[in-house]
Each structure stands twice: as C-alpha cells, then as structure tokens.
C-alpha cells in the first residue's frame, strides 16, 4: 500500500519506513536501555550478508536486493520486537530464519507469503520461550539512578564476562500483558492487576510511551502516503470495539480498550508489521478485512489464548488468508455492470 | 466556463513538459523536392482498404486513392498532385515496427505545398453560418455521415476510430450528451491546444454539424485547466454559435483525456464495460477530429494534420501542419534534428518508440518526441513486485494491475481475462507509480496480443470469406465493365459497318447489353451483401 510517484523506488519507500521507526527506537532505548539498538546493530549486517549469500547462491546479482533496504528493515522490525537483553546469538538465529527461510527460500522480496520479521519472532518465541518473555522491567532497567547503559546491556547480550554487573534474573520481569494474564490466573481483577504491574498510567510500565511513539511514526507514514490508512485504522478500530464490548460487559475480567491499544506490540504491529505490503492484502476492501481480522485475533489470543502478546501470530495467520481475501474483495472495475 | 463536479479513480501527475512547444503557433511544413509521400493504406482502427489506382497513374491533391468496405473503415487521399510510383510494403508507423502496404506518390514539382485546410483558414473570416446550416438542411443524416466518411475522417486524438462509425451509432440512439475532447492530458503534446487557440471557429463549426446530426440535450467541451488561452478562444468562438455549448474545465490529471475518463469527468457516468459510449447516450469526439469533419463536409478531405514536434533532439520544436504521408525523417530534418536520437510517436505515456524514421506520418500521429540518446536516463533497476498496490490506487479503470501482472507473468491468460484485461486502456499510470519499476503495460500488451491472436485464428475464416466475396464482386464487376466496353465498341463497329452496308438487320447487341446489365446488377447485390456482412 505504498503510494508513490514516478521517482519513488522501493528503496526510498523502505527508507521512509525506517525513518518512521526512529521515535519508537528512541523511546525503547530511553526506557529499556540500548538493547534494541545493539540487537539492530548485530542483525542488520547479518541480514544483509545472509541475503547476499543466498542470492549469490542462486547466481543472481545481489546488488539490487541489497540496495532495496528491505533486509535492514526486517532486522529493525525484529529488533524492536525482541526483549532488550536477549542473547546475541538468539537474535542472529531469529534474523537468519527471517531472511533465509521466510524470505529468500520463497524467492526473495515480494514472493514471501509470510512476514519475515514475524516468522523470526515466532521461531524464537517457540524455541526460547523463557528468554523471549523476559523483558526488562522499566524499573529494573534503572541502574543506580540511570537507565541501564550500553556497557551493561552489551555485557548481558553478549554474555562476555562471568559476573556481569547486573544479571538478567535481577532485573527482568514479565511484560505487563504477561503479568496481567498471570494476575488473572491468580484470580485477581483487572484493577488489582493494574496495581500489581503498573508504574505506567494506562497500560503499564512505559509501554504506553513506546506505543505512542510508534503511533507517531505511523501517522507520519500515512501522512507521507507511504502506507494507506486501511490496515492500521481497521485493525485499531476492531481492537477498540471488541475490547470495549467485553470491558463493558465484565470490567473485572476484561481490560479497557486503551490498555489494549497501548500495550505490547499493538502500534508497532498496526503501522509497521501488518502493513508490510508483500504479505498483506492488496485490494482496498481486502485491506480493511485484513486489518480488522488481525485486531480481533489479537484480542482473542490476548484474552483467551496461551501467549501473552499476539501480534505476531495474528499477522502470520492472516498472511495465510491474504490470497483468499484478495480473491473475494476484487474492486468493481470502471464500467462494470451490476450483474457481472 | 464551468468546473466539473465529478472525478475518476486514480490518475497521476506526470511532469507536463509542454513549454517547449505550447507557445509556438501552427506552421506548415511540407515535403521537400526529393521526398515521396507514403500513404499507409490501413490507418487507425478497422480499415481494410484497397487501392483504386495503379502504379503510374497520376493523382491530384485531395483525390481519393483507396476504397474500403465495411462500416468501420474510411478511405485515404493524396495530399498532393503527383504520380503513383509504387504500391508496396513500407515500414509502418506502428509499435510493431512491421511493414504495411502503402501507396507511394511522387509529388509533382509544381504541386501546391500548402495545407488546403490551412489555406481556407477561417479564423479570420467568420464561417458563414447561414451557408453551413443551408448545406446541412439540404442533406440527410446518412449523407452527412457519408461525406465525413468519404472525407477520410478518423479520431485524431490517438486511437483512430472512424468517426462515421461513432456517428452511425449516435444517430441510432438518443444522444444525451455530446462531448468534445480538448483535454490533451498527455505531457508534451500541444497540437490540440494550438488548434483550439488558433482555429476555435472551425472546431465550433464542426460541433454545430454534430449538433445538427445528433440533437444532443447538451454539448460539453472538456479542457484541462492548464490551457487557459484555449478555453478563452473557445469561449469567444461559442458566443456566436447557434448551438448551446458548455465549456468545462477540469483539473490537470492524467489520463483525464481518456474517452471513458472524460465521460466520467463530465457526466459522472461510467460507460459499461465492453460497450461504446453511445450505450449511455454519449458521443465523444476529439477537437481536431471535429475540425476535420467540418472540412470534410465542405469537400476538403483529411490530407493534413497538426503534429507536435518536441524534445531536446530538435532545434525548432513546435506545432506543424504536415501532409499525411510525409516521411518522418523529412519532417524532422526540416525541424533541425540532431544525430543519434530516440523518436517516440505519441505522448510519453502512451506513445511508442519508432523503429524506422522513414515511416510516414499517419492520421493518428499527434506528437513526435525527439530525445538525444545522451540525455536518456538509463533503464531503472527492476525489482520484484512488492504488492504495494500503488498501481491499483492509480489505475483509472479500477483494475488490479498487480494481479494482472502476476497472471500475465505466469502466462495464465484465462485469469488475465477474468481480471478484465481488456478494460485496461494502457494509460501507463501503473507503470508510472510502480516503485519496483516493472514495465507492467508491456505485459498487458503482450497478454492482449496472445489472446487476440487466439481469437483471430477463429475469426480468420469468417474474415477470409468476406474478403473473398468482396474480391469476387469486384472481379465480376470489372469483367462486366470490360464486357460492356467491348460490347459498345463492337456495337459501334457494327453500326458503322451496317451504316456502311445500309442494311436494316436487327443485331444482338441489345441482347448482350441486357445480359451485361443483369451481370452488373448481380455484382452490385453481391457487393452490398459483402458490405453488410463485414
Ligand atoms: S506498483 Fe509495482 S510493486 Fe506495487 S503492487 Fe503494483 S506492480 Fe507491484
Ligand atoms: S495501463 Fe491499464 S492497468 Fe495500468 S493503470 Fe492504465 S488502465 Fe490500469
């Protein structure tokens, strides 16, 4: 859904998306330390190298594929979704899966049915469930009055020294979504759960800030006509409606709409993940269905499923239905007659 | 001047690049002494033309040199006095670069080089309104259309659809709106703009003819808002017109001049897929066509047209009234062409690259873009389709260009037809916006070609039969004519002999004459049947 003019190129559109990630990255770094940046710094070269190698093995010129900037973008999206202190080699496993299995084995950019970054994420989630759900708590990220710094983050991510100045166990905790789920299992109500988890106002623990910054980037993408509004708006509206519905019926068991909109990967997913043109629906009506279904699925998995966050699964599930959605949402062409 | 309230889906804003030629008044460029005139027999759509003269015959300016059969076909005329030197295959001005049969005429040294229509330029002398309406009321609708047809008028905006065929459809139905297309939405082209500025009166006279013929409820001339001078000229010309004509300005947005897009812009209605505009009570004609049909009615057939020559490869860019049939290299040499250029016929969006500059100007050539090879951008790097849907957002036909592309690429032609391939107007908007720089339209052209080829195979038999019958009819007629001549000669001879002998014996010439007349009648009937079939 990238809207372009004559001088637009794939690379330029990718660059705009990368630029739109900047506010989110700043927020991530301020709240959780530079973990995401370190991951990105590891994954971007690996992604490009992996891409070039595979294309070289298919004996094609790797130059265009490297220049289109899609591999670095995948790395940046995945890095933004990973827990900030995930060991370096897990990050590499994730990005290799994303680039090689999810993208290049299907024929490279444009041919992959599944969102590569989300494939990488899900592979890591099912392979290393403990590490993947161990987020720094924003409080835990404060070391001696400052947010965890570069050295400490790097020490943990690379595991280079025997006794790092801080340990994962000491500072990590579940994400608010995770904690809320646990709280609900323990029979607490939502309001009690909020107290339990939150230093933040609405969705807990600085997450609302991160979501808001991704929202800002997303608004830029729509304003600059890099993405169309259909998917993010329909996804967020669907999530809003369904969460409002259940919240009204039973506020003790179901969180508020604002909580759902501003926690976890909601905004990153809405504006940056679900809108990946390659794997999303391409008809205007199809995009609305696509986004709305993702919104509903996210809510369903968050509320009743086994995993705390659901953006990755929801997007991948809908990717499977993209061809079907496209098929049933063919727009009416110019001059098409009503009966045909 | 009114603004339109309607829009069409998508569209793009390419750079206009009209400045090079838009302020250059129409000038005449004609053949040089060494040139020959090459008149391609099949011009525009649907012509199955047949030369009526032979090599060595001399022709006069305006003389019809071909005949055609079938409703969707018009003849061609000579722009000069001269001699037919060949009837043979010549490089065609066509994207395929193939050869096409042409009548080649060597102009006489003293043949007038002036565009007849330009010589009769009526801008300065007001058209005699009463004379025009007198002429119109003395003719039936069929006679008017037949004059337009015999005058060789086809759509001059690009596609070359015979005007008579559109009008035939028009008089059979109730026409609500007559639309005159003065949009000229393609970048670079300015010939219609100049025509509207300089010859608005001729255009309006043509509109009056159509008004008389079709009795539309309303007449709308659409002009993009980047041509204020043209709008003004038309407005001045309409003030004295007997028809009530509305001039409607639309925002500059390519392809607003596409017939179906323009109809949507001015009426808010969509032409149903697979039908002609007359199905919704609309007839649409380009401004240059309208001027040409006015001239055709006054026995001035289409032998010249205005062509925009532009680009950095010529010294004097401008708008030129040129004889149809002049070789393109002659025209360009006279405009001061530089070495090693790429020539595009038509606009930058829908035009095609010319393979052989010896090809002639045809009725549908509205623009020649001459670019130095050195200033051409290198072909952009091409990527895979990333399904971004820019193309479907821009497509004025509301198609799904990306899906068409996937289907065409995997040679699933059945699927391309299901995706309404034939509703694609080849406007190139999808190409223009595609960030992966995929030459989408060439895939569609290719797919259309394959599908048409398969269908043609089916139709070929039918077509051959029609052609055969036509051929037969002609042979029979020629035989009959020969026989008649012979019989006359014989009769004359006999009469002479008899008068010499002074005898009074009845001869059998009468009998023969009757037989010949019957043969002619049969031939004519056959010919009519053939025409009806085609
Ligand atoms: S504009 Fe190009 S890349 Fe985008 S969907 Fe269309 S064909 Fe694919
Ligand atoms: S060329 Fe065809 S498919 Fe492409 S934008 Fe124009 S009408 Fe649509």
């Amino acid at each position: 859904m990238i809207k372009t003019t004559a001088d637009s190129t794939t690379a330029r559109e990718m660059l705009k998306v990368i630029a739109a990630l900047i506010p989110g990255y700043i927020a991530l770094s301020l709240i959780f330390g530079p973990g995401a940046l370190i991951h990105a710094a590891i994954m971007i070269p690996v992604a490009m190298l992996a891409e070039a190698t595979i294309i070289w093995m298919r004996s094609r010129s790797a130059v265009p594929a490297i220049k289109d900037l899609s591999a670095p973008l995948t790395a940046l999206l995945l890095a933004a979704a990973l827990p900030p202190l995930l060991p370096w080699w897990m990050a590499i496993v994730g990005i290799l899966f994303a680039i090689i299995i999810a993208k290049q084995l299907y024929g490279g950019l444009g041919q992959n049915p599944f969102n590569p970054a989300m494939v990488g994420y899900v592979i890591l989630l099912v392979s290393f469930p403990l590490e993947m759900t161990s987020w720094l708590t924003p409080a835990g990220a404060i070391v001696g009055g400052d947010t965890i710094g570069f050295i400490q983050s790097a020490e943990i991510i690379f595991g280079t020294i025997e006794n790092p100045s801080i340990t994962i166990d000491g500072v990590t905790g579940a994400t608010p979504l995770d904690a809320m789920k646990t709280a609900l299992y323990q029979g607490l109500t939502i309001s009690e759960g909020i107290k339990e988890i939150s230093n933040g106002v609405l969705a807990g623990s600085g997450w609302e800030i991160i979501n808001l910054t991704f929202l800002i980037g997303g608004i830029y993408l729509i304003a600059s006509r890099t993405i169309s509004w259909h998917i993010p708006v329909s996804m967020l509206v669907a999530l809003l409606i369904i969460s409002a519905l259940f919240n009204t019926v039973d506020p003790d068991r179901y969180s508020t709409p604002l909580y759902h909109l501003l926690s976890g990967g909601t905004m990153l997913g809405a504006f940056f993940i679900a809108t990946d043109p390659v794997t999303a629906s391409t008809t205007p009506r199809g995009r609305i269905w696509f986004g709305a279904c993702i919104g509903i699925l996210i809510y369903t998995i968050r509320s009743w499923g086994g995993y705390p966050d659901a953006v990755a699964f929801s997007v991948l599930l809908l990717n499977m239905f993209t061809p079907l959605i496209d098929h049933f949402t063919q727009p009416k062409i110019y001059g098409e007659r009503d009966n045909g | 001047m009114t603004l339109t309230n309607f829009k069409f889906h998508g569209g793009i804003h390419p750079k206009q690049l009209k400045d090079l030629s838009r302020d250059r008044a129409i000038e005449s460029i004609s053949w040089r002494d060494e040139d020959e005139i090459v008149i391609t027999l099949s011009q525009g759509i649907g012509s199955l033309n047949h030369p009526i003269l032979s090599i060595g015959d001399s022709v006069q300016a305006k003389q019809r040199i071909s005949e055609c059969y079938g409703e969707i076909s018009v003849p061609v005329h000579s722009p000069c006095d001269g001699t037919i030197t060949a009837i043979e295959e010549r490089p065609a001005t066509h994207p395929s670069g193939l050869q096409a049969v042409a009548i080649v005429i060597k102009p006489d040294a003293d043949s007038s080089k002036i565009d007849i229509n330009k010589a009769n330029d009526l801008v300065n002398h007001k058209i005699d309104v009463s004379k025009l309406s007198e002429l119109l009321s003395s003719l039936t609708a069929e006679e008017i259309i037949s004059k337009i047809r015999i005058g060789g008028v086809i759509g001059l905006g690009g596609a070359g659809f015979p005007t008579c065929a559109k009008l035939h459809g028009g008089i059979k139905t109730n026409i609500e709106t007559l639309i005159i297309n003065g949009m000229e939405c393609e970048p670079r082209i300015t010939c219609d703009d100049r025509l509207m500025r300089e010859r608005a009166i001729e255009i309006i006279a043509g509109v009056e003819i159509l008004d008389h013929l079709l009795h539309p409820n309303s007449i709308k001339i659409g002009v993009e808002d980047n041509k204020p001078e043209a709008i003004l000229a038309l407005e001045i010309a309409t003030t004295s017109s007997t028809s009530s004509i509305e001039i409607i300005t639309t925002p500059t947005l390519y392809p607003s001049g596409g017939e179906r897009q323009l109809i949507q812009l001015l009426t808010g209605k969509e032409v149903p897929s697979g039908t002609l505009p007359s199905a919704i009570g609309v007839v649409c004609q380009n401004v240059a066509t309208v001027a040409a049909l006015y001239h055709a009615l006054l026995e001035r057939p289409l032998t010249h047209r205005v062509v925009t020559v532009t680009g950095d490869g010529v010294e004097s860019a401008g708008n030129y009234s040129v004889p149809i049939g002049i070789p393109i290299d002659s025209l360009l040499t006279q405009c001061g062409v530089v070495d090693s250029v790429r020539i595009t016929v038509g606009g930058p969006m829908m035009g095609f690259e010319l393979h052989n500059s010896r090809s002639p100007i045809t009725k549908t050539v509205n623009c020649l873009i001459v670019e130095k090879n050195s200033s051409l951008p290198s072909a952009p790097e091409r990527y895979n389709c990333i399904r971004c849907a820019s193309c479907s957002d821009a497509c004025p036909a509301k198609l799904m260009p990306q899906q068409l592309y996937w289907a065409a690429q995997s040679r699933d032609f059945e699927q391309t037809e299901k995706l309404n391939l034939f509703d694609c107007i080849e406007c190139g908007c999808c190409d223009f916006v595609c960030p992966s720089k995929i030459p989408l339209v060439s895939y569609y052209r290719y797919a259309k070609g394959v599908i048409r080829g398969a269908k043609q195979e089916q139709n070929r038999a039918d077509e051959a039969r029609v052609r055969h019958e036509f051929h037969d009819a002609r042979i029979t007629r020629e035989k009959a004519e020969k026989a008649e001549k012979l019989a006359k000669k014989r009769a004359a001879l006999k009469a002479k002999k008899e008068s010499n002998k002074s005898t009074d014996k009845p001869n059998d010439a009468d009998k023969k004459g009757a037989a010949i007349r019957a043969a002619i009648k049969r031939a004519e009937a056959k010919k009519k049947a053939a025409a009806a079939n085609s």
Side-chain angles (χ1 to χ4, degrees):
Chain A
M1 54 238 53
I2 295 172
K3 304 234 182 175
T4 55
T5 56
D7 46 27
S8 118
T9 59
T10 311
R12 195 166 304 179
E13 301 307 317
M14 298 286 175
L15 205 62
K16 282 198 213 156
V17 181
I18 291 173
L21 281 169
I22 292 173
Y25 260 87
I26 293 176
L28 275 174
S29 307
L30 289 179
I31 292 165
F32 294 120
L37 286 174
I38 294 173
H39 284 146
I42 303 169
M43 282 165 24
I44 289 174
V46 172
M48 294 174 85
L49 205 69
E51 181 133 301
T53 312
I54 297 281
I55 294 173
W56 174 76
M57 278 160 56
R58 290 165 67 200
S59 42
R60 304 217 187 148
S61 164
V63 182
I66 292 299
K67 279 206 303 204
D68 71 23
L69 296 182
S70 62
L73 178 59
T74 302
L76 281 166
L77 291 173
L78 182 53
L82 293 181
L85 296 179
L86 193 74
W88 61 277
W89 59 271
M90 289 188 193
I92 289 181
V93 168
I95 192 67
L96 286 180
F97 257 99
I99 297 292
I100 297 175
I101 309 285
K103 185 176 168 192
Q104 286 300 338
L105 287 193
Y106 283 102
L109 180 65
Q111 312 288 317
N112 47 305
F114 296 107
N115 185 312
M118 289 302 101
V119 170
Y121 181 87
V122 163
I123 294 282
L124 290 177
L125 188 61
V126 295
S127 316
F128 314 105
L130 180 66
E131 289 82 352
M132 284 295 286
T133 48
S134 298
W135 275 77
L136 267 178
T137 57
I142 312 281
V143 180
D146 278 323
T147 309
I148 181 170
F150 180 79
I151 308 261
Q152 292 107 321
S153 297
E155 276 173 352
I156 299 172
I157 289 172
F158 290 105
T160 43
I161 46 171
E162 306 238 320
N163 295 306
S165 49
I166 50 172
T167 59
I168 291 197
D169 298 339
V171 292
T172 59
T175 66
L177 282 167
D178 216 0
M180 180 67 80
K181 184 155 272 168
T182 318
L184 287 173
Y185 278 137
Q186 291 163 355
L188 300 178
T189 62
I190 287 288
S191 50
E192 288 163 339
I194 290 272
K195 257 189 229 133
E196 188 102 322
I197 58 174
S198 96
N199 304 316
V201 189
L202 297 162
S205 327
W207 280 95
E208 67 279 276
I209 296 177
I210 288 168
N211 269 285
L212 284 173
T213 48
F214 281 123
L215 172 65
I216 291 170
I219 290 171
Y220 159 75
L221 287 181
I222 292 181
S224 66
R225 316 197 80 198
T226 309
I227 60 172
S228 82
W229 56 268
H230 300 78
I231 290 176
V233 169
S234 60
M235 171 180 148
L236 294 177
V237 167
L239 186 59
L240 182 100
I241 292 175
I242 188 169
S243 54
L245 210 71
F246 281 98
N247 182 244
T248 338
V249 173
D250 188 354
D252 275 351
R253 274 186 50 74
Y254 299 104
S255 314
T256 62
L258 220 53
Y259 173 86
H260 274 283
L261 289 179
L262 293 181
S263 57
T266 307
M267 292 298 170
L268 181 69
F271 290 97
F272 294 89
I273 306 282
T275 53
D276 165 33
V278 175
T279 52
S281 172
T282 149
T283 65
R285 271 190 304 144
R287 292 173 199 162
I288 291 184
W289 281 109
F290 182 85
C293 289
I294 290 179
I296 292 168
L297 260 179
I298 287 177
Y299 187 82
T300 313
I301 298 178
R302 276 181 185 174
S303 304
W304 301 291
Y307 283 96
D309 203 353
V311 173
F313 285 112
S314 310
V315 169
L316 291 179
L317 213 64
L318 260 292
N319 285 164
M320 290 199 313
F321 289 100
T322 293
L324 203 69
I325 294 176
D326 278 357
H327 181 79
F328 284 111
T329 54
Q330 289 291 327
K332 201 164 156 269
I333 69 157
Y334 176 102
E336 187 171 338
R337 275 166 286 186
D338 290 334
N339 57 8
Chain B
M1 185 186 89
T2 11
L3 294 169
T4 179
N5 299 322
F6 305 108
K7 359 185 243 183
F8 59 90
H9 180 259
I12 52 171
H13 289 285
K15 282 203 190 90
Q16 291 289 303
L17 302 172
K18 293 189 190 245
D19 288 343
L20 222 50
S21 58
R22 68 185 301 270
D23 293 322
R24 306 293 293 267
I26 300 172
E27 283 172 48
S28 281
I29 285 188
S30 200
W31 56 86
R32 300 163 302 171
D33 291 342
E34 65 267 34
D35 290 335
E36 48 187 15
I37 295 293
V38 181
I39 313 246
T40 313
L41 271 172
S42 297
Q43 309 223 2
I45 291 167
S47 331
L48 269 168
N49 260 355
H50 186 86
I52 49 176
L53 297 170
S54 341
I55 298 169
D57 286 354
S58 59
V59 291
Q60 280 167 351
K62 301 202 287 179
Q63 185 179 339
R64 186 160 67 89
I65 53 175
S66 76
E67 73 179 344
C68 47
Y69 65 96
E71 212 172 86
I72 307 185
S73 184
V74 303
V76 289
H77 305 75
S78 170
C80 61
D81 302 332
T83 314
I84 295 180
T85 55
I87 298 173
E88 61 187 21
E89 297 217 310
R90 288 294 179 104
T93 313
H94 190 267
S96 68
L98 294 175
Q99 308 248 317
V101 178
I103 300 179
V104 183
I105 303 168
K106 182 74 200 163
D108 290 344
D110 58 351
S111 170
S112 162
K113 291 188 176 178
I114 300 166
D115 172 2
I116 326 157
N117 298 345
K118 189 99 201 298
N120 285 302
D121 201 348
L122 292 155
V123 183
N124 304 316
H125 330 276
K126 271 218 172 139
I127 287 169
D128 192 341
V129 179
S130 59
K131 217 175 123 199
L132 183 64
S133 56
E134 217 172 85
L135 177 64
L136 286 176
S137 51
S138 70
L139 297 169
T140 65
E142 281 297 335
E143 281 168 337
I144 296 173
I145 294 177
S146 129
K147 270 178 182 289
I148 291 167
R149 178 182 178 197
I150 294 300
V153 181
I154 60 174
L156 299 180
F161 194 77
T163 305
C164 55
K166 272 191 185 178
L167 297 181
H168 266 301
I171 57 169
K172 278 186 214 136
T173 46
N174 226 343
I175 293 302
E176 204 166 294
T177 320
L178 169 63
I179 290 180
I180 309 298
N181 188 344
M183 307 297 281
E184 202 162 56
C185 60
E186 272 232 37
R188 286 186 180 270
I189 311 179
T190 55
C191 56
D192 283 354
D193 185 9
R194 291 310 311 190
L195 201 77
M196 289 186 278
R197 286 205 230 176
E198 298 175 36
R199 302 203 203 156
I201 288 194
E202 294 163 54
I203 295 169
I204 299 302
V207 173
E208 281 166 8
I209 295 168
L210 292 179
D211 189 14
H212 172 88
L213 205 57
L214 302 169
H215 310 295
N217 295 346
S218 66
I219 304 173
K220 296 178 175 174
I221 306 184
V223 188
E224 275 192 342
D225 60 8
N226 59 359
K227 302 184 233 337
E229 301 91 344
I231 294 169
L232 193 68
L234 287 172
E235 254 165 16
I236 293 169
T238 45
T239 47
S240 56
S241 172
T242 49
S243 306
S244 64
I245 301 168
E246 248 184 301
I247 296 170
I248 302 200
T249 326
T250 70
T252 300
L253 177 68
Y254 179 84
S256 61
E259 185 170 76
R260 279 153 206 260
Q261 281 61 49
L262 179 58
I263 291 170
Q264 197 177 9
L265 264 179
L266 298 194
T267 67
K269 284 192 267 186
E270 292 184 6
V271 183
S273 168
T275 66
L276 292 174
S278 56
I280 54 164
V282 174
V283 164
C284 189
Q285 294 286 354
N286 158 275
V287 279
T289 316
V290 174
L293 71 85
Y294 159 70
H295 289 290
L297 204 74
L298 300 183
E299 314 287 337
R300 294 195 291 262
L302 184 63
T303 55
H304 288 68
R305 70 155 298 149
V306 184
V307 178
T308 299
V309 179
T310 184
D312 63 1
V314 283
E315 274 150 28
S316 41
N319 305 287
Y320 300 104
S321 172
V322 299
I324 288 156
I326 183 175
I328 287 174
D329 58 359
S330 165
L331 170 59
L332 292 184
T333 311
Q334 296 182 67
C335 294
V337 70
V338 300
D339 278 346
S340 99
V341 288
R342 186 182 71 176
I343 303 168
T344 306
V345 176
M349 299 301 302
M350 296 183 71
F352 58 89
E353 190 182 341
L354 187 70
H355 298 278
N356 189 333
S357 68
R358 291 202 329 273
S359 322
I361 292 287
T362 63
K363 293 177 183 177
T364 51
V365 176
N366 51 4
C367 182
L368 296 173
I369 305 171
V370 189
E371 290 161 295
K372 283 185 200 155
N373 281 336
S374 54
S375 61
L376 291 176
S378 53
E381 234 158 329
R382 192 182 145 177
Y383 294 91
N384 283 338
C385 169
I386 55 165
R387 302 168 38 101
C388 65
S390 297
C391 48
S392 46
D393 287 345
C395 176
K398 290 199 259 177
L399 304 178
M400 289 266 119
Q402 66 276 53
Q403 299 188 3
L404 274 172
Y405 161 65
W406 304 329
Q409 198 188 26
S410 50
R411 301 186 60 85
D412 186 351
F413 297 117
E414 213 173 292
Q415 178 67 8
T416 62
E417 272 193 282
K418 273 194 207 135
L419 290 165
N420 305 299
L421 174 67
F422 282 91
D423 285 287
C424 165
I425 57 169
E426 299 183 16
C427 63
C429 289
C430 47
D431 269 24
F432 183 80
V433 297
C434 177
S436 297
K437 309 295 172 205
I438 302 169
L440 296 163
V441 181
S442 45
Y443 280 91
Y444 311 149
R445 287 206 183 119
Y446 174 71
K448 282 182 185 174
V450 172
I451 296 167
R452 279 205 193 106
K455 289 200 173 137
Q456 240 160 39
E457 213 70 337
Q458 285 171 10
N459 294 341
R460 198 154 286 161
D462 298 350
E463 221 173 78
R465 186 175 48 77
V466 172
R467 208 175 292 169
H468 181 72
E469 275 168 16
F470 180 73
H471 180 87
D472 270 3
R474 189 168 56 83
I475 299 285
T476 326
R477 190 188 61 223
E478 279 171 5
K479 260 191 195 154
E481 275 166 5
K482 244 188 211 157
E484 194 179 21
K485 258 189 206 158
L486 211 71
K488 262 191 195 151
K489 244 188 206 162
R490 272 203 198 125
L493 219 69
K494 218 169 200 173
K496 220 175 167 187
K497 261 187 202 163
E498 243 139 63
S499 68
N500 281 353
K501 279 186 187 169
S502 305
T503 51
D504 217 86
K505 216 173 133 196
N507 59 44
D508 55 356
D510 273 1
K511 231 199 244 162
K512 236 181 206 163
I516 289 160
R517 275 192 295 279
I520 293 170
K521 254 192 201 147
R522 270 202 307 280
E524 257 163 19
K526 240 185 190 176
K527 188 181 163 196
K528 258 187 207 148
N533 272 342
S534 63

